[in-house]
Amino acid sequence: LVSFALAFWSLGRRSRPEVVSRADILSRNSPDGLMITDQEGNFLFANPAFQTLLSIVAKEAPNPVFTTLSAIIEAVGGLEGADELKRLVARALDGEDGQADIRVPHLNGMFWRRISARHGSIAGGAGQIFWRVEDVTESREIDNIRRLEEARLFDYIDYLPVGFFSADAEGVILYANQTLARWLGLPPKRLIGAPFADCVADVGEDGRLSLRDSEGRLFDATLEQSQVDGPDGEIAYTRSVVFRDMVWL
């Protein structure tokens, strides 16, 4: 069998160069869809997984068998990620590498496919485009869950019933939550980059402070602080909680 030497084939979960053979391209055992086109996008080889992973099931029509890149784009239509795929194909035909994620329907739901393109040559001949299709549904779902958890965590911190901020070694605010910003009468983005000392009217003992809001009004508070040191032993940043003295209504 003729080996398809592609020294930089490093798509998807593969992180080092590998040699792709014709047997690999036509293999029924590969979990990934593998396909080669010429520089004009004409199909040269495709393994069965390529067609399976890109099968788009319509109620009124069977799965299409793709033989051109334009047919894939047409079948994807207005699905999520379609514009990204169109840009990938255009870039690949223009000599660039890249990848795109599309969301395709199948018999039992919607699935995410990652299509990647790399340029190489077969046995030192004319250049080809090597394509890989992977099922990334599970990883996309995990990423989505992680984003939701991160958004929920930020919401928890932003709207704590106490003020919270982080500052660098010089006391310049790096982050301030919504609660502290509301007490000081400024949006959080106005506080970032400003010294926390600018908000302090007076300092007492045991973390007691008198803070001044944007209109000059004073209120008493207590500050609890911890710090993170850098590799050099100096302060990298601080974490501070502000408890406001207030009358509960």
Side-chain angles (χ1 to χ4, degrees), residues 66-87:
F66 299 115
T67 57
T68 65
L69 293 173
S70 59
I72 296 175
I73 292 175
E74 182 179 355
V76 169
L79 294 175
E80 189 172 354
D83 290 340
E84 187 179 352
L85 175 61
K86 292 176 184 176
R87 288 191 291 269

Side-chain angles (χ1 to χ4, degrees), residues 15-16 18 34 45 47 49 69 73 75 106 129-130 155 180 191 198 211 213 244-245:
S15 59
R16 62 180 186 274
E18 68 175 290
L34 305 174
F45 297 99
N47 71 343
L69 293 173
I73 292 175
H106 201 52
I129 308 174
F130 293 72
D155 180 75
L180 179 62
L191 291 173
D198 289 355
L211 298 180
D213 69 14
R244 180 173 182 173
D245 291 351

Side-chain angles (χ1 to χ4, degrees), residues 13-220:
R13 52 182 170 273
R14 294 168 173 78
S15 59
R16 62 180 186 274
E18 68 175 290
V19 174
V20 180
S21 70
R22 182 173 179 175
D24 293 330
I25 294 294
L26 300 177
S27 172
R28 294 184 177 275
N29 299 321
S30 173
D32 295 344
L34 305 174
M35 191 265 288
I36 298 176
T37 69
D38 60 21
Q39 297 288 7
E40 285 71 46
N42 300 311
F43 280 32
L44 300 178
F45 297 99
N47 71 343
F50 180 84
Q51 300 289 349
T52 300
L53 288 171
L54 283 183
S55 62
I56 300 173
V57 176
K59 293 181 179 179
E60 67 280 2
N63 293 344
V65 175
F66 299 115
T67 57
T68 65
L69 293 173
S70 59
I72 296 175
I73 292 175
E74 182 179 355
V76 169
L79 294 175
E80 189 172 354
D83 290 340
E84 187 179 352
L85 175 61
K86 292 176 184 176
R87 288 191 291 269
L88 169 65
V89 171
R91 291 197 307 270
L93 295 179
D94 198 36
E96 299 180 31
D97 299 338
Q99 68 180 37
D101 289 1
I102 60 172
R103 192 165 182 252
V104 300
H106 201 52
L107 288 174
N108 54 345
M110 300 291 293
F111 297 88
W112 283 98
R113 304 293 190 238
R114 176 162 296 155
I115 303 177
S116 308
R118 292 290 186 273
H119 288 73
S121 62
I122 301 174
Q128 279 80 35
I129 308 174
F130 293 72
W131 303 81
R132 187 188 301 276
V133 182
E134 300 173 86
D135 182 357
V136 293
T137 305
E138 184 175 351
S139 63
R140 290 283 302 225
E141 290 176 348
I142 291 173
D143 288 344
N144 186 55
I145 292 172
R146 185 179 296 114
R147 283 193 295 270
L148 291 174
E149 290 177 344
E150 289 175 352
R152 189 177 297 115
L153 177 60
F154 277 117
D155 180 75
Y156 293 158
I157 296 173
D158 250 353
Y159 294 96
L160 283 169
V162 296
F164 176 82
F165 72 95
S166 178
D168 64 15
E170 284 70 45
V172 175
I173 297 174
L174 304 173
Y175 167 82
N177 73 349
Q178 295 284 347
T179 302
L180 179 62
R182 176 167 51 83
W183 289 348
L184 296 174
L186 293 169
K189 63 181 180 181
R190 288 279 302 279
L191 291 173
I192 294 174
F196 181 70
D198 289 355
C199 305
V200 179
D202 190 24
V203 178
E205 297 180 352
D206 299 325
R208 299 288 296 170
L209 299 171
S210 178
L211 298 180
R212 180 187 296 107
D213 69 14
S214 60
E215 296 184 4
R217 294 172 299 195
L218 302 181
F219 61 92
D220 293 330

